[in-house]
Amino acid sequence: MYEGPDHLNSRRSHARHPTRHSARRLFPTSSNEDTTTNALSLEIPTAQDTEEVGALFAAVLLKDCFRDGIRNEQNFLKGTTIFLDGDLGAGKTAFARGFLRSATGDDNLRVTSPTFLLVNVYPILGGSLEIHHMDVYRLKGDPEDFKPLNLDHVFAKHVSLIEWPQRLGSVPVPEDRLDINIRILSDDDDDDATETGSNISRMMTINPRGPLWEDRLKEIVDEGYLEDLIL
């Protein structure tokens, strides 16, 4: 259960300090400030670091739920949408796992990709809001296929993390959202690393769509949250 600002500060501190060996290789590699989307790229060496970035984003979102001692999740979180795309095995679910554990305050929360279930739902903030973690890889883009997910309602009222969003096809999606693409750069010729995904270097491109996410990403950069991941 989310317990307010003190709990969030604890989660954010955890998200900002991955292991020293891996975190020192986590750094912004490019930022295009001339475009409306202000995309940012991070080179991330391990799956654990991918989780830490997910946890950081959840912490930054949740911190606005308490202002002047008043809960404001209705204004700040409803309709929050994050698309997770990229290479197979690159870390989409790892990002979601970090995000969900941070948002729920449960470091041991079991998070797997809902490939066959299509969606797993996680209540947060005492049950007043839900995070819908979806994997739509098996769907073909026909709007009829997505009716069981009740996307119109989820996009308007809850938080959604959607893996393989290109499968949405012609389904209407929020214009104001965060697009994250994770690509595998190398596996260092390590068969074990390839098997577990633990030591595969990744490039994460974070692309805010719309002014709300542009402001959120700007806050993350301006407040030095990403800098704190560089040890």
Side-chain angles (χ1 to χ4, degrees):
M1 178 183 296
Y2 184 68
E3 300 168 359
D6 292 339
H7 167 71
L8 173 57
N9 289 337
S10 174
R11 285 297 310 156
R12 184 170 63 184
S13 175
H14 175 71
R16 290 163 60 184
H17 295 285
T19 60
R20 184 176 186 84
H21 174 72
S22 59
R24 64 187 179 194
R25 294 175 55 205
L26 180 63
F27 58 95
T29 57
S30 66
S31 178
N32 188 348
E33 296 180 354
D34 296 327
T35 67
T36 57
T37 56
N38 297 309
L40 181 71
S41 293
L42 305 175
E43 185 174 346
I44 304 179
T46 72
Q48 179 61 39
D49 291 316
T50 308
E51 287 191 26
E52 300 291 2
V53 175
L56 170 64
F57 270 83
V60 169
L61 287 174
L62 286 168
K63 79 178 182 63
D64 283 330
C65 290
F66 288 82
R67 287 188 176 180
D68 301 324
I70 301 174
R71 283 172 55 152
N72 293 286
E73 69 270 11
Q74 302 294 325
N75 295 327
F76 289 99
L77 290 182
K78 276 189 174 182
T80 295
T81 303
I82 299 178
F83 284 176
L84 299 168
D85 210 345
D87 295 338
L88 182 67
K92 294 180 287 294
T93 302
F95 179 97
R97 182 178 301 112
F99 187 99
L100 286 161
R101 287 179 174 175
S102 178
T104 62
D106 184 353
D107 290 333
N108 299 311
L109 182 69
R110 178 174 169 79
V111 178
T112 59
S113 182
T115 304
F116 296 102
L117 297 176
L118 297 182
V119 60
N120 289 326
V121 179
Y122 304 84
I124 60 172
L125 298 168
S128 63
L129 204 67
E130 297 172 347
I131 301 176
H132 290 240
H133 177 205
M134 308 180 198
D135 183 332
V136 296
Y137 181 81
R138 295 191 299 113
L139 304 183
K140 303 299 183 182
D142 185 339
E144 291 295 317
D145 294 340
F146 295 91
K147 282 189 174 181
L149 298 176
N150 200 12
L151 289 177
D152 287 344
H153 174 75
V154 173
F155 287 150
K157 301 295 185 181
H158 296 289
V159 178
S160 56
L161 302 172
I162 303 182
E163 299 187 32
W164 302 105
Q166 75 273 22
R167 300 287 189 175
L168 293 170
S170 61
V171 174
V173 299
E175 293 184 1
D176 208 329
R177 65 180 190 273
L178 186 69
D179 290 352
I180 293 179
N181 186 284
I182 309 174
R183 294 186 297 109
I184 295 174
L185 297 180
S186 69
D187 58 17
D188 297 324
D189 297 322
D190 185 337
D191 290 339
D192 290 337
T194 304
E195 179 82 16
T196 64
S198 60
N199 296 317
I200 298 174
S201 183
R202 301 156 173 82
M203 181 69 73
M204 177 187 291
T205 301
I206 303 169
N207 198 2
R209 302 287 186 180
L212 179 60
W213 271 110
E214 288 180 356
D215 289 345
R216 285 170 169 169
L217 185 58
K218 184 176 186 298
E219 176 188 359
I220 287 173
V221 173
D222 289 350
E223 292 295 325
Y225 295 132
L226 292 173
E227 290 178 5
D228 286 345
L229 291 171
I230 308 168
L231 302 183

